[in-house]
Amino acid sequence: MDAHIFGVIPRPFISVVVPVYNEEGNIRPFLRRITQALGKVGTYEIIFCLDPCSDRTEEVIEEEIKRNPSVGMLVFSRRFGQPAATMAGIRRCNGEVCVVIDADLQDPPELIPVMYEKLQSGYDVVYAKRRSRKGETMAKLILSHIGYRVINAVSDVEIPRDTGDFRMMTRRVVEELKKLGESHGFLRGLVGFVGFSHASVEYDRRERLSGSGHYNRFMGSLKIGLNGLVGFSNFLLSISLIAGLVVASASFLLIIYIAVSKFYMKLAYPMGVPTIISLILFIGGVQLVSVGILGEYIGRIYDEVKRRPKYIVDREVNLKKKLSPLNKVRL
Ligand code: UDP
Ligand code: MG
């Protein structure tokens, strides 16, 4: 209260970061459920991070902000995508604890008090782990199942399986995340990189309440998965090196064998058109894959050296600026 008198707003205890793109039908049910859940945890702020929407999402949020002063919104100058939106919210949040959650109610807000209870038992990160996933195509399920296992087998950091961005983090994790300047914003990898103690709680992932998913079912997951693979491991670069070495040594041995058998054993070889074609195709394929892998890394290096902002904010609505210092106001 004292803090208010000097124009400093008390820091909310828990911040909720919600990336949003065309979620008109979901905002109100989402707010109804999440505010109820947050009431069990402490004071809160909800930061909607909006890629400019073609439906009425922005208006709906603005109406809700008028009703609830703990809700705020960031609107970007164009669609920067979910990872950038999420990172923007994380950078802007003020709470001692931060939760990232989707607006489509696929992640149940009721899990937040459960995650908080777990966090209190001494963890810095609590992931929500999907026990089951409704409303997903078979292709996406298979892809993400294989993807997680491949990423974890080769990645330098631990990226827990079957988790999304839905997670709760303490302030010190948020502060470390803010120091990372990478442009891909693959939150699962970045949080894994930051480390600290972590735990998970399980939940059943529902179908989205209203509207449809914003990603191409197949390519979307593939693109995100590639960030996990390329962004957090140099394994693919070693594969092309190993493949190159294996193919080159095998063909070297083959050449010696052919020379020996032709000149010493006097074997007359027939015209080997099919063999030659398949060998050329094979080597060509290996080379293209290797160049492609290099391209994935070079593309990311290019993204980093350009040092472009990861997002540009068009406008902010009701986001707190002058807040009491951290750890002082704990409600
Ligand atoms: N989203 C976003 N920008 C985008 C695409 C999605 O902010 O370009 C938001 C979306 O509104 C939702 C969350 O990110 O709150 C997850 O999106 P979606 O439900 O389409 O993905 P999925 O559930 O398949 O991961
Ligand atoms: Mg969704």
Side-chain angles (χ1 to χ4, degrees):
M1 266 298 139
D2 282 350
H4 253 318
I5 298 169
F6 300 107
V8 181
I9 304 159
R11 189 173 286 273
F13 178 63
I14 183 164
S15 297
V16 181
V17 171
V18 199
V20 178
Y21 177 63
N22 287 355
E23 300 284 2
E24 180 181 3
N26 292 324
I27 298 297
R28 288 207 169 97
F30 171 80
L31 274 175
R32 209 173 310 126
R33 279 174 59 182
I34 201 158
T35 45
Q36 207 165 27
L38 290 171
K40 296 178 188 153
V41 180
T43 53
Y44 64 86
E45 66 177 351
I46 298 171
I47 307 179
F48 286 109
C49 307
L50 257 77
D51 278 333
C53 302
S54 52
D55 62 5
R56 287 196 63 254
T57 310
E58 205 171 319
E59 287 93 317
V60 173
I61 294 178
E62 230 158 329
E63 283 163 29
E64 291 302 316
I65 289 175
K66 284 185 194 128
R67 269 186 227 144
N68 184 347
S70 303
V71 179
M73 155 167 89
L74 271 178
V75 187
F76 303 106
S77 58
R78 66 169 174 84
R79 185 174 172 190
F80 280 90
Q82 181 192 354
T86 309
M87 286 315 289
I90 290 176
R91 288 184 164 275
R92 211 53 192 74
C93 78
N94 303 297
E96 301 278 348
V97 172
C98 170
V99 175
V100 176
I101 186 169
D102 288 353
D104 58 6
L105 290 170
Q106 283 197 285
D107 307 330
E110 293 72 25
L111 206 66
I112 292 177
V114 182
M115 291 162 94
Y116 181 57
E117 213 178 290
K118 192 96 186 183
L119 197 85
Q120 275 181 311
S121 52
Y123 295 101
D124 279 293
V125 181
V126 176
Y127 313 96
K129 205 166 159 66
R130 300 158 181 174
R131 201 184 302 129
S132 66
R133 298 171 77 173
K134 288 210 183 99
E136 306 282 14
T137 54
M138 202 59 192
K140 184 166 176 183
L141 289 181
I142 293 173
L143 195 71
S144 80
H145 185 85
I146 299 173
Y148 271 116
R149 272 139 197 92
V150 173
I151 289 174
N152 268 307
V154 305
S155 162
D156 304 332
V157 300
E158 197 189 333
I159 300 173
R161 287 171 190 180
D162 307 321
T163 60
D165 285 351
F166 187 23
R167 62 192 54 215
M168 182 178 280
M169 301 165 276
T170 57
R171 174 51 54 180
R172 65 173 175 159
V173 175
V174 169
E175 290 303 319
E176 293 302 328
L177 281 178
K178 281 160 76 172
K179 290 184 202 158
L180 304 179
E182 284 170 68
S183 42
H184 55 72
F186 181 58
L187 189 67
R188 279 158 264 185
L190 296 175
V191 172
F193 173 83
V194 165
F196 295 119
S197 58
H198 52 85
S200 62
V201 294
E202 293 204 329
Y203 76 111
D204 298 302
R205 190 160 157 97
R206 313 266 148 72
E207 291 176 36
R208 58 165 39 243
L209 184 70
S210 138
S212 57
H214 304 296
Y215 292 103
N216 178 304
R217 282 280 152 240
F218 216 71
M219 291 315 285
S221 319
L222 212 58
K223 202 173 145 204
I224 292 176
L226 257 181
N227 271 333
L229 258 182
V230 176
F232 291 91
S233 137
N234 289 337
F235 175 73
L236 291 180
L237 286 174
S238 343
I239 290 193
S240 47
L241 179 67
I242 293 166
L245 281 176
V246 167
V247 172
S249 353
S251 57
F252 180 70
L253 292 177
L254 196 66
I255 289 169
I256 295 182
Y257 171 76
I258 290 170
V260 169
S261 56
K262 187 151 180 86
F263 295 116
Y264 291 94
M265 291 142 75
K266 304 284 181 215
L267 285 183
Y269 285 112
M271 305 271 290
V273 175
T275 14
I276 290 172
I277 290 178
S278 45
L279 275 178
I280 290 175
L281 286 179
F282 176 65
I283 304 286
V286 170
Q287 281 175 339
L288 283 179
V289 169
S290 308
V291 173
I293 291 172
L294 280 181
E296 288 294 324
Y297 283 89
I298 292 172
R300 278 164 180 76
I301 296 171
Y302 187 46
D303 280 344
E304 300 297 342
V305 296
K306 278 185 291 194
R307 309 192 62 140
R308 287 187 181 153
K310 286 139 207 99
Y311 51 85
I312 295 169
V313 176
D314 176 16
R315 65 193 196 103
E316 286 185 18
V317 186
N318 197 31
L319 287 189
K320 320 285 178 298
K321 284 218 175 79
K322 233 174 144 190
L323 287 167
S324 54
L326 276 166
N327 293 325
K328 290 269 164 60
V329 180
R330 224 176 155 137
L331 301 166

